[in-house]
Amino acid sequence: EIVLTQSPGTLSLSPGERANFSCRASQSVYSRYLAWYQQKPGQAPRLLIYAATSRATGIPDRFSGSGFETDFTLTISSLEPEDSAVYYCQQFGDSPPYTFGQGTKLEI
Amino acid sequence: QVQLQESGPGLVKPSQTLSLTCTVSGASISSGPYYWSWIRQPAGKGLEWIGHIYTSGNANYNPSLKSRVTILRDTSKNQFSLMLTSVTAADTAVFYCARISYSYGYMDVWGKGTTVTVSS
């Protein structure tokens, strides 16, 4: 099983600042199969980034993804108040289970 | 616009079987290439992939739940379902159905989720 470890657990920042979320995999993940999600309280997760670097439809360009193999990063370049949420990374490797990180909570 | 909607009992007794249905609109579960999946989230915790069924009808399950999980589909109703047997309080969670891209493995369309509580 591929374990995804996200850090930090909580990020407290101000509007306009830059946020970096880390996702480290216990073994190499093909970039094609690494995604990021945003989840607000009481809502389903929302796809932000897929294939490590590609923005999903309708996602603002202040969201970007980078990384490869075992180290991946989600960046929000200039925070907006509505970006407060929990952010998850997810991998879809060669075999199940297809796992999520434990999440990073962003407080603005 | 593709939409998914979960339905089923909100309360299940311990040792019984949890059964949920996901109704898909705006796309056919028989055409792909997509996986149709179930994910759960205990209150205040992270997300856990339970399993999925492919457009062909083949299913994959999380090994940690494999002995208790079955995912089936009803193409005539454009629905797929989840059955989880021998439930305990640890199975209490919000259950989501979601569509997974076959090519990239991302979950791009989600249902709103349904809360299932296991309690006597």
Side-chain angles (χ1 to χ4, degrees), chain A:
Chain A
E1 173 177 336
I2 297 177
V3 176
L4 300 179
T5 302
Q6 292 187 240
S7 61
T10 302
L11 207 46
S12 297
L13 295 169
S14 300
E17 289 191 304
R18 183 184 191 90
N20 287 309
F21 304 82
S22 172
C23 176
R24 290 194 167 175
S26 60
Q27 54 188 280
S28 185
V29 173
Y30 189 27
S31 296
R32 179 187 188 93
Y33 295 128
L34 194 288
W36 289 93
Y37 301 84
Q38 175 193 67
Q39 187 179 33
K40 296 182 178 181
Q43 297 184 16
R46 172 194 181 197
L47 177 67
L48 297 175
I49 300 287
Y50 67 94
T53 61
S54 298
R55 270 188 303 278
T57 303
I59 301 303
D61 60 8
R62 65 178 186 275
F63 291 89
S64 63
S66 63
F68 67 103
E69 294 188 345
T70 60
D71 285 300
F72 297 89
T73 300
L74 171 71
T75 298
I76 308 176
S77 60
S78 180
L79 288 167
E80 303 276 350
E82 62 265 27
D83 296 334
S84 291
V86 179
Y87 291 82
Y88 294 95
C89 56
Q90 173 247 333
Q91 64 83 23
F92 193 84
D94 291 337
S95 59
Y98 307 114
T99 52
F100 294 85
Q102 82 278 21
T104 293
K105 183 177 183 180
L106 174 62
E107 298 174 337
I108 300 176

Side-chain angles (χ1 to χ4, degrees), chain B residues 8 34 37:
Chain B
Y34 294 106
S37 68

Side-chain angles (χ1 to χ4, degrees), chain B residues 2 16 19 27 31 35 37 62 90 108:
Chain B
V2 181
Q16 293 191 342
S19 295
S31 58
Y35 300 103
S37 68
N62 191 319
D108 63 338

